[in-house]
mmCIF file with all atom_site columns, all heavy atoms in Angstrom:
data_model
loop_
_atom_site.group_PDB
_atom_site.id
_atom_site.type_symbol
_atom_site.label_atom_id
_atom_site.label_alt_id
_atom_site.label_comp_id
_atom_site.label_asym_id
_atom_site.label_entity_id
_atom_site.label_seq_id
_atom_site.pdbx_PDB_ins_code
_atom_site.Cartn_x
_atom_site.Cartn_y
_atom_site.Cartn_z
_atom_site.occupancy
_atom_site.B_iso_or_equiv
_atom_site.pdbx_formal_charge
_atom_site.auth_seq_id
_atom_site.auth_comp_id
_atom_site.auth_asym_id
_atom_site.auth_atom_id
_atom_site.pdbx_PDB_model_num
ATOM 1   N N   . SER X 1 82  ? -13.186 0.359  8.495  1.00 97.00 ? 82  SER X N   1
ATOM 2   C CA  . SER X 1 82  ? -12.408 0.928  9.613  1.00 97.00 ? 82  SER X CA  1
ATOM 3   C C   . SER X 1 82  ? -12.570 0.119  10.850 1.00 97.00 ? 82  SER X C   1
ATOM 4   O O   . SER X 1 82  ? -12.380 0.598  11.965 1.00 97.00 ? 82  SER X O   1
ATOM 5   C CB  . SER X 1 82  ? -12.997 2.425  9.931  1.00 97.00 ? 82  SER X CB  1
ATOM 6   O OG  . SER X 1 82  ? -14.346 2.340  10.256 1.00 97.00 ? 82  SER X OG  1
ATOM 7   N N   . ASN X 1 83  ? -12.841 -1.228 10.690 1.00 95.00 ? 83  ASN X N   1
ATOM 8   C CA  . ASN X 1 83  ? -13.046 -2.183 11.804 1.00 95.00 ? 83  ASN X CA  1
ATOM 9   C C   . ASN X 1 83  ? -11.676 -2.719 12.268 1.00 95.00 ? 83  ASN X C   1
ATOM 10  O O   . ASN X 1 83  ? -11.434 -3.896 12.249 1.00 95.00 ? 83  ASN X O   1
ATOM 11  C CB  . ASN X 1 83  ? -13.927 -3.243 11.405 1.00 95.00 ? 83  ASN X CB  1
ATOM 12  C CG  . ASN X 1 83  ? -13.543 -3.886 10.029 1.00 95.00 ? 83  ASN X CG  1
ATOM 13  O OD1 . ASN X 1 83  ? -12.596 -3.535 9.454  1.00 95.00 ? 83  ASN X OD1 1
ATOM 14  N ND2 . ASN X 1 83  ? -14.317 -4.912 9.708  1.00 95.00 ? 83  ASN X ND2 1
ATOM 15  N N   . TYR X 1 84  ? -10.709 -1.865 12.605 1.00 94.00 ? 84  TYR X N   1
ATOM 16  C CA  . TYR X 1 84  ? -9.463  -2.232 13.188 1.00 94.00 ? 84  TYR X CA  1
ATOM 17  C C   . TYR X 1 84  ? -9.450  -2.461 14.612 1.00 94.00 ? 84  TYR X C   1
ATOM 18  O O   . TYR X 1 84  ? -10.417 -2.052 15.306 1.00 94.00 ? 84  TYR X O   1
ATOM 19  C CB  . TYR X 1 84  ? -8.426  -1.179 12.786 1.00 94.00 ? 84  TYR X CB  1
ATOM 20  C CG  . TYR X 1 84  ? -7.971  -1.300 11.292 1.00 94.00 ? 84  TYR X CG  1
ATOM 21  C CD1 . TYR X 1 84  ? -8.891  -0.873 10.347 1.00 94.00 ? 84  TYR X CD1 1
ATOM 22  C CD2 . TYR X 1 84  ? -6.831  -1.906 10.890 1.00 94.00 ? 84  TYR X CD2 1
ATOM 23  C CE1 . TYR X 1 84  ? -8.528  -0.962 9.041  1.00 94.00 ? 84  TYR X CE1 1
ATOM 24  C CE2 . TYR X 1 84  ? -6.421  -2.074 9.643  1.00 94.00 ? 84  TYR X CE2 1
ATOM 25  C CZ  . TYR X 1 84  ? -7.335  -1.591 8.601  1.00 94.00 ? 84  TYR X CZ  1
ATOM 26  O OH  . TYR X 1 84  ? -6.988  -1.622 7.281  1.00 94.00 ? 84  TYR X OH  1
ATOM 27  N N   . LEU X 1 85  ? -8.480  -3.116 15.246 1.00 93.00 ? 85  LEU X N   1
ATOM 28  C CA  . LEU X 1 85  ? -8.486  -3.447 16.660 1.00 93.00 ? 85  LEU X CA  1
ATOM 29  C C   . LEU X 1 85  ? -7.951  -2.374 17.580 1.00 93.00 ? 85  LEU X C   1
ATOM 30  O O   . LEU X 1 85  ? -8.564  -2.109 18.535 1.00 93.00 ? 85  LEU X O   1
ATOM 31  C CB  . LEU X 1 85  ? -7.694  -4.745 16.763 1.00 93.00 ? 85  LEU X CB  1
ATOM 32  C CG  . LEU X 1 85  ? -7.593  -5.333 18.177 1.00 93.00 ? 85  LEU X CG  1
ATOM 33  C CD1 . LEU X 1 85  ? -8.969  -5.717 18.663 1.00 93.00 ? 85  LEU X CD1 1
ATOM 34  C CD2 . LEU X 1 85  ? -6.680  -6.525 18.191 1.00 93.00 ? 85  LEU X CD2 1
ATOM 35  N N   . GLN X 1 86  ? -6.815  -1.792 17.174 1.00 95.00 ? 86  GLN X N   1
ATOM 36  C CA  . GLN X 1 86  ? -6.176  -0.804 18.137 1.00 95.00 ? 86  GLN X CA  1
ATOM 37  C C   . GLN X 1 86  ? -6.785  0.578  17.987 1.00 95.00 ? 86  GLN X C   1
ATOM 38  O O   . GLN X 1 86  ? -7.125  1.070  16.948 1.00 95.00 ? 86  GLN X O   1
ATOM 39  C CB  . GLN X 1 86  ? -4.755  -0.756 17.777 1.00 95.00 ? 86  GLN X CB  1
ATOM 40  C CG  . GLN X 1 86  ? -4.050  -2.124 17.636 1.00 95.00 ? 86  GLN X CG  1
ATOM 41  C CD  . GLN X 1 86  ? -3.885  -2.821 18.965 1.00 95.00 ? 86  GLN X CD  1
ATOM 42  O OE1 . GLN X 1 86  ? -4.198  -2.289 20.067 1.00 95.00 ? 86  GLN X OE1 1
ATOM 43  N NE2 . GLN X 1 86  ? -3.623  -4.149 18.993 1.00 95.00 ? 86  GLN X NE2 1
ATOM 44  N N   . ASP X 1 87  ? -6.742  1.305  19.084 1.00 96.00 ? 87  ASP X N   1
ATOM 45  C CA  . ASP X 1 87  ? -7.438  2.654  19.145 1.00 96.00 ? 87  ASP X CA  1
ATOM 46  C C   . ASP X 1 87  ? -6.851  3.619  18.120 1.00 96.00 ? 87  ASP X C   1
ATOM 47  O O   . ASP X 1 87  ? -7.582  4.315  17.499 1.00 96.00 ? 87  ASP X O   1
ATOM 48  C CB  . ASP X 1 87  ? -7.387  3.229  20.566 1.00 96.00 ? 87  ASP X CB  1
ATOM 49  C CG  . ASP X 1 87  ? -8.207  2.450  21.541 1.00 96.00 ? 87  ASP X CG  1
ATOM 50  O OD1 . ASP X 1 87  ? -9.071  1.584  21.042 1.00 96.00 ? 87  ASP X OD1 1
ATOM 51  O OD2 . ASP X 1 87  ? -8.130  2.694  22.727 1.00 96.00 ? 87  ASP X OD2 1
ATOM 52  N N   . PRO X 1 88  ? -5.414  3.767  18.116 1.00 97.00 ? 88  PRO X N   1
ATOM 53  C CA  . PRO X 1 88  ? -4.947  4.699  17.019 1.00 97.00 ? 88  PRO X CA  1
ATOM 54  C C   . PRO X 1 88  ? -5.408  4.412  15.612 1.00 97.00 ? 88  PRO X C   1
ATOM 55  O O   . PRO X 1 88  ? -5.660  5.345  14.820 1.00 97.00 ? 88  PRO X O   1
ATOM 56  C CB  . PRO X 1 88  ? -3.450  4.545  17.197 1.00 97.00 ? 88  PRO X CB  1
ATOM 57  C CG  . PRO X 1 88  ? -3.212  3.980  18.535 1.00 97.00 ? 88  PRO X CG  1
ATOM 58  C CD  . PRO X 1 88  ? -4.365  3.077  18.825 1.00 97.00 ? 88  PRO X CD  1
ATOM 59  N N   . SER X 1 89  ? -5.483  3.122  15.327 1.00 96.00 ? 89  SER X N   1
ATOM 60  C CA  . SER X 1 89  ? -5.934  2.767  13.917 1.00 96.00 ? 89  SER X CA  1
ATOM 61  C C   . SER X 1 89  ? -7.380  3.108  13.790 1.00 96.00 ? 89  SER X C   1
ATOM 62  O O   . SER X 1 89  ? -7.749  3.667  12.787 1.00 96.00 ? 89  SER X O   1
ATOM 63  C CB  . SER X 1 89  ? -5.849  1.167  13.687 1.00 96.00 ? 89  SER X CB  1
ATOM 64  O OG  . SER X 1 89  ? -4.691  0.610  14.329 1.00 96.00 ? 89  SER X OG  1
ATOM 65  N N   . ALA X 1 90  ? -8.201  2.711  14.754 1.00 95.00 ? 90  ALA X N   1
ATOM 66  C CA  . ALA X 1 90  ? -9.684  3.050  14.669 1.00 95.00 ? 90  ALA X CA  1
ATOM 67  C C   . ALA X 1 90  ? -9.758  4.558  14.403 1.00 95.00 ? 90  ALA X C   1
ATOM 68  O O   . ALA X 1 90  ? -10.604 4.982  13.556 1.00 95.00 ? 90  ALA X O   1
ATOM 69  C CB  . ALA X 1 90  ? -10.357 2.601  15.883 1.00 95.00 ? 90  ALA X CB  1
ATOM 70  N N   . ALA X 1 91  ? -8.985  5.376  15.127 1.00 97.00 ? 91  ALA X N   1
ATOM 71  C CA  . ALA X 1 91  ? -9.160  6.826  14.971 1.00 97.00 ? 91  ALA X CA  1
ATOM 72  C C   . ALA X 1 91  ? -8.893  7.324  13.533 1.00 97.00 ? 91  ALA X C   1
ATOM 73  O O   . ALA X 1 91  ? -9.616  8.056  12.969 1.00 97.00 ? 91  ALA X O   1
ATOM 74  C CB  . ALA X 1 91  ? -8.217  7.499  16.043 1.00 97.00 ? 91  ALA X CB  1
ATOM 75  N N   . ILE X 1 92  ? -7.767  6.834  12.934 1.00 98.00 ? 92  ILE X N   1
ATOM 76  C CA  . ILE X 1 92  ? -7.322  7.468  11.721 1.00 98.00 ? 92  ILE X CA  1
ATOM 77  C C   . ILE X 1 92  ? -8.226  6.799  10.534 1.00 98.00 ? 92  ILE X C   1
ATOM 78  O O   . ILE X 1 92  ? -8.653  7.484  9.570  1.00 98.00 ? 92  ILE X O   1
ATOM 79  C CB  . ILE X 1 92  ? -5.871  7.335  11.384 1.00 98.00 ? 92  ILE X CB  1
ATOM 80  C CG1 . ILE X 1 92  ? -5.433  8.177  10.273 1.00 98.00 ? 92  ILE X CG1 1
ATOM 81  C CG2 . ILE X 1 92  ? -5.417  5.899  11.170 1.00 98.00 ? 92  ILE X CG2 1
ATOM 82  C CD1 . ILE X 1 92  ? -3.958  8.519  10.162 1.00 98.00 ? 92  ILE X CD1 1
ATOM 83  N N   . TYR X 1 93  ? -8.522  5.462  10.598 1.00 98.00 ? 93  TYR X N   1
ATOM 84  C CA  . TYR X 1 93  ? -9.281  4.841  9.570  1.00 98.00 ? 93  TYR X CA  1
ATOM 85  C C   . TYR X 1 93  ? -10.778 5.285  9.638  1.00 98.00 ? 93  TYR X C   1
ATOM 86  O O   . TYR X 1 93  ? -11.426 5.394  8.641  1.00 98.00 ? 93  TYR X O   1
ATOM 87  C CB  . TYR X 1 93  ? -9.262  3.322  9.668  1.00 98.00 ? 93  TYR X CB  1
ATOM 88  C CG  . TYR X 1 93  ? -7.923  2.771  9.236  1.00 98.00 ? 93  TYR X CG  1
ATOM 89  C CD1 . TYR X 1 93  ? -6.971  2.224  10.256 1.00 98.00 ? 93  TYR X CD1 1
ATOM 90  C CD2 . TYR X 1 93  ? -7.547  2.627  7.930  1.00 98.00 ? 93  TYR X CD2 1
ATOM 91  C CE1 . TYR X 1 93  ? -5.789  1.678  9.784  1.00 98.00 ? 93  TYR X CE1 1
ATOM 92  C CE2 . TYR X 1 93  ? -6.348  2.054  7.534  1.00 98.00 ? 93  TYR X CE2 1
ATOM 93  C CZ  . TYR X 1 93  ? -5.420  1.619  8.437  1.00 98.00 ? 93  TYR X CZ  1
ATOM 94  O OH  . TYR X 1 93  ? -4.316  1.114  8.026  1.00 98.00 ? 93  TYR X OH  1
ATOM 95  N N   . GLU X 1 94  ? -11.276 5.532  10.869 1.00 97.00 ? 94  GLU X N   1
ATOM 96  C CA  . GLU X 1 94  ? -12.660 5.985  10.942 1.00 97.00 ? 94  GLU X CA  1
ATOM 97  C C   . GLU X 1 94  ? -12.779 7.423  10.568 1.00 97.00 ? 94  GLU X C   1
ATOM 98  O O   . GLU X 1 94  ? -13.788 7.905  9.942  1.00 97.00 ? 94  GLU X O   1
ATOM 99  C CB  . GLU X 1 94  ? -13.176 5.774  12.423 1.00 97.00 ? 94  GLU X CB  1
ATOM 100 C CG  . GLU X 1 94  ? -14.596 6.208  12.645 1.00 97.00 ? 94  GLU X CG  1
ATOM 101 C CD  . GLU X 1 94  ? -15.710 5.535  11.810 1.00 97.00 ? 94  GLU X CD  1
ATOM 102 O OE1 . GLU X 1 94  ? -15.428 4.536  11.222 1.00 97.00 ? 94  GLU X OE1 1
ATOM 103 O OE2 . GLU X 1 94  ? -16.863 6.015  11.854 1.00 97.00 ? 94  GLU X OE2 1
ATOM 104 N N   . LYS X 1 95  ? -11.801 8.184  10.788 1.00 98.00 ? 95  LYS X N   1
ATOM 105 C CA  . LYS X 1 95  ? -11.718 9.588  10.286 1.00 98.00 ? 95  LYS X CA  1
ATOM 106 C C   . LYS X 1 95  ? -11.835 9.565  8.747  1.00 98.00 ? 95  LYS X C   1
ATOM 107 O O   . LYS X 1 95  ? -12.581 10.303 8.182  1.00 98.00 ? 95  LYS X O   1
ATOM 108 C CB  . LYS X 1 95  ? -10.411 10.262 10.750 1.00 98.00 ? 95  LYS X CB  1
ATOM 109 C CG  . LYS X 1 95  ? -10.190 11.649 10.093 1.00 98.00 ? 95  LYS X CG  1
ATOM 110 C CD  . LYS X 1 95  ? -11.041 12.667 10.841 1.00 98.00 ? 95  LYS X CD  1
ATOM 111 C CE  . LYS X 1 95  ? -10.930 14.065 10.293 1.00 98.00 ? 95  LYS X CE  1
ATOM 112 N NZ  . LYS X 1 95  ? -11.958 14.973 10.745 1.00 98.00 ? 95  LYS X NZ  1
ATOM 113 N N   . ALA X 1 96  ? -11.068 8.677  8.205  1.00 98.00 ? 96  ALA X N   1
ATOM 114 C CA  . ALA X 1 96  ? -11.017 8.523  6.751  1.00 98.00 ? 96  ALA X CA  1
ATOM 115 C C   . ALA X 1 96  ? -12.356 8.203  6.152  1.00 98.00 ? 96  ALA X C   1
ATOM 116 O O   . ALA X 1 96  ? -12.911 8.703  5.250  1.00 98.00 ? 96  ALA X O   1
ATOM 117 C CB  . ALA X 1 96  ? -9.883  7.620  6.297  1.00 98.00 ? 96  ALA X CB  1
ATOM 118 N N   . ARG X 1 97  ? -12.878 7.141  6.770  1.00 98.00 ? 97  ARG X N   1
ATOM 119 C CA  . ARG X 1 97  ? -14.240 6.577  6.306  1.00 98.00 ? 97  ARG X CA  1
ATOM 120 C C   . ARG X 1 97  ? -15.328 7.656  6.460  1.00 98.00 ? 97  ARG X C   1
ATOM 121 O O   . ARG X 1 97  ? -16.114 7.828  5.536  1.00 98.00 ? 97  ARG X O   1
ATOM 122 C CB  . ARG X 1 97  ? -14.636 5.345  7.101  1.00 98.00 ? 97  ARG X CB  1
ATOM 123 C CG  . ARG X 1 97  ? -15.663 4.562  6.465  1.00 98.00 ? 97  ARG X CG  1
ATOM 124 C CD  . ARG X 1 97  ? -16.488 3.619  7.512  1.00 98.00 ? 97  ARG X CD  1
ATOM 125 N NE  . ARG X 1 97  ? -16.984 4.551  8.528  1.00 98.00 ? 97  ARG X NE  1
ATOM 126 C CZ  . ARG X 1 97  ? -18.061 5.359  8.393  1.00 98.00 ? 97  ARG X CZ  1
ATOM 127 N NH1 . ARG X 1 97  ? -18.725 5.455  7.293  1.00 98.00 ? 97  ARG X NH1 1
ATOM 128 N NH2 . ARG X 1 97  ? -18.487 6.057  9.392  1.00 98.00 ? 97  ARG X NH2 1
ATOM 129 N N   . SER X 1 98  ? -15.300 8.372  7.539  1.00 97.00 ? 98  SER X N   1
ATOM 130 C CA  . SER X 1 98  ? -16.362 9.448  7.574  1.00 97.00 ? 98  SER X CA  1
ATOM 131 C C   . SER X 1 98  ? -16.110 10.573 6.652  1.00 97.00 ? 98  SER X C   1
ATOM 132 O O   . SER X 1 98  ? -17.007 11.158 6.102  1.00 97.00 ? 98  SER X O   1
ATOM 133 C CB  . SER X 1 98  ? -16.389 9.931  9.069  1.00 97.00 ? 98  SER X CB  1
ATOM 134 O OG  . SER X 1 98  ? -15.242 10.511 9.473  1.00 97.00 ? 98  SER X OG  1
ATOM 135 N N   . LEU X 1 99  ? -14.779 10.962 6.306  1.00 98.00 ? 99  LEU X N   1
ATOM 136 C CA  . LEU X 1 99  ? -14.536 11.948 5.334  1.00 98.00 ? 99  LEU X CA  1
ATOM 137 C C   . LEU X 1 99  ? -15.019 11.443 4.029  1.00 98.00 ? 99  LEU X C   1
ATOM 138 O O   . LEU X 1 99  ? -15.453 12.215 3.161  1.00 98.00 ? 99  LEU X O   1
ATOM 139 C CB  . LEU X 1 99  ? -13.094 12.337 5.336  1.00 98.00 ? 99  LEU X CB  1
ATOM 140 C CG  . LEU X 1 99  ? -12.515 13.174 6.467  1.00 98.00 ? 99  LEU X CG  1
ATOM 141 C CD1 . LEU X 1 99  ? -11.046 13.252 6.465  1.00 98.00 ? 99  LEU X CD1 1
ATOM 142 C CD2 . LEU X 1 99  ? -13.192 14.664 6.376  1.00 98.00 ? 99  LEU X CD2 1
ATOM 143 N N   . TYR X 1 100 ? -14.771 10.123 3.732  1.00 98.00 ? 100 TYR X N   1
ATOM 144 C CA  . TYR X 1 100 ? -15.277 9.606  2.409  1.00 98.00 ? 100 TYR X CA  1
ATOM 145 C C   . TYR X 1 100 ? -16.714 9.842  2.159  1.00 98.00 ? 100 TYR X C   1
ATOM 146 O O   . TYR X 1 100 ? -17.230 9.928  1.045  1.00 98.00 ? 100 TYR X O   1
ATOM 147 C CB  . TYR X 1 100 ? -15.028 8.071  2.397  1.00 98.00 ? 100 TYR X CB  1
ATOM 148 C CG  . TYR X 1 100 ? -13.679 7.751  1.611  1.00 98.00 ? 100 TYR X CG  1
ATOM 149 C CD1 . TYR X 1 100 ? -12.777 6.848  2.317  1.00 98.00 ? 100 TYR X CD1 1
ATOM 150 C CD2 . TYR X 1 100 ? -13.433 8.208  0.388  1.00 98.00 ? 100 TYR X CD2 1
ATOM 151 C CE1 . TYR X 1 100 ? -11.592 6.530  1.618  1.00 98.00 ? 100 TYR X CE1 1
ATOM 152 C CE2 . TYR X 1 100 ? -12.272 7.795  -0.287 1.00 98.00 ? 100 TYR X CE2 1
ATOM 153 C CZ  . TYR X 1 100 ? -11.336 6.951  0.319  1.00 98.00 ? 100 TYR X CZ  1
ATOM 154 O OH  . TYR X 1 100 ? -10.204 6.632  -0.266 1.00 98.00 ? 100 TYR X OH  1
#
Side-chain angles (χ1 to χ4, degrees):
Chain X
S82 58
N83 50 357
Y84 284 75
L85 182 63
Q86 310 291 347
D87 293 348
S89 327
I92 196 163
Y93 287 105
E94 177 63 9
K95 173 78 183 168
R97 196 206 54 75
S98 61
L99 285 170
Y100 264 127

